[in-house]
Amino acid sequence: SIRHKAKSYLSPIIEISNFYGIDPLWVISIVWTESHFKVHSQSHLGAQGLMQLMPATAKQYKKNVRVSHLKRPDVNIKIGIKYLKKLFKRYDGNLIYTLSAYNAGESRVKRWRKNIFVNDDPMVTIESIPFKETRKYVKLIYRNIFFYNLLSNKTVLEKSLEDSFIVSLNSKR
């Protein structure tokens, strides 16, 4: 069952996330949205595994990685978290930019930041994402993060809406 599969991946997700200073709830939200915890998941574009990594992206973080390696949860999670951390750093913790880049690519977000993302209101920014799939993706993951935080008794309702779209990393790795 999906619940059993999800539980079996929680420990490595938490361990690797904490090692890289990433909130495990963000990773769990991405894994759920990307693959529903199905290890052998593959997109029509070739993204692989739990975190739906493109092979070319994975090679940036592990030179010898093969497509078949991306079906291994430990490899996929570690590379995915390294990539996610790089995106968070690149976009100064901006969750909208980070998730948009994870879904649609960094080059697109670079163009969108110049021409489209011109409003400081996070809701307007999300609604201005040109790709319907990416717009939906950002909303789904934000919603998942919000509810996972509530279920974990984290105080998410004390933050302003704008602040809830900015994340901070816990380590310098």
Side-chain angles (χ1 to χ4, degrees), residues 23 25-26 88 93-95 122 142 145-146 149-150 154-170:
D23 187 329
L25 295 179
W26 306 334
F88 275 124
N94 184 304
L95 190 61
Y142 180 77
I145 291 169
F146 179 83
N149 274 308
L150 285 179
K154 290 187 180 177
T155 54
V156 291
L157 297 175
E158 294 175 3
K159 285 185 172 183
S160 69
L161 179 63
E162 290 78 12
D163 288 344
S164 72
F165 283 97
I166 300 297
V167 299
S168 58
L169 301 173
N170 299 328

Side-chain angles (χ1 to χ4, degrees), residues 42-61:
Q42 180 175 330
S43 78
H44 64 283
L45 294 175
Q48 307 284 323
L50 290 172
M51 294 188 74
Q52 287 294 281
L53 297 170
M54 292 299 287
T57 301
K59 283 187 184 297
Q60 294 174 23
Y61 297 91

Side-chain angles (χ1 to χ4, degrees), residues 26-39:
W26 306 334
V27 179
I28 291 166
S29 298
I30 289 171
V31 170
W32 174 252
T33 303
E34 290 285 359
S35 67
H36 294 284
F37 289 92
K38 295 176 186 167
V39 161

Side-chain angles (χ1 to χ4, degrees), residues 13-24 81 170-171 173:
I13 287 172
I14 291 167
E15 184 179 322
I16 297 167
S17 296
N18 287 336
F19 180 81
Y20 286 100
I22 297 284
D23 187 329
I81 289 172
N170 299 328
S171 80
R173 290 192 196 282

Side-chain angles (χ1 to χ4, degrees), residues 80-146:
I81 289 172
K82 282 181 172 182
Y83 179 49
L84 187 61
K85 179 154 186 166
K86 175 196 161 217
L87 293 175
F88 275 124
K89 283 184 173 182
R90 179 173 188 177
Y91 300 115
D92 297 320
N94 184 304
L95 190 61
I96 298 168
Y97 297 169
T98 298
L99 295 175
S100 295
Y102 195 92
N103 180 262
E106 295 173 65
S107 60
R108 288 194 177 102
V109 172
K110 184 177 183 178
R111 285 194 308 271
W112 297 346
R113 286 180 76 184
K114 286 181 184 172
N115 305 319
I116 297 170
F117 294 164
V118 294
N119 194 303
D120 288 337
D121 183 329
M123 302 312 286
V124 173
T125 301
I126 291 170
E127 291 304 325
S128 70
I129 296 171
F131 294 172
K132 182 179 180 182
E133 177 190 330
T134 303
R135 209 171 34 249
K136 182 179 175 184
Y137 179 84
V138 170
K139 290 177 190 179
L140 280 172
I141 292 184
Y142 180 77
R143 181 202 65 193
N144 291 349
I145 291 169
F146 179 83

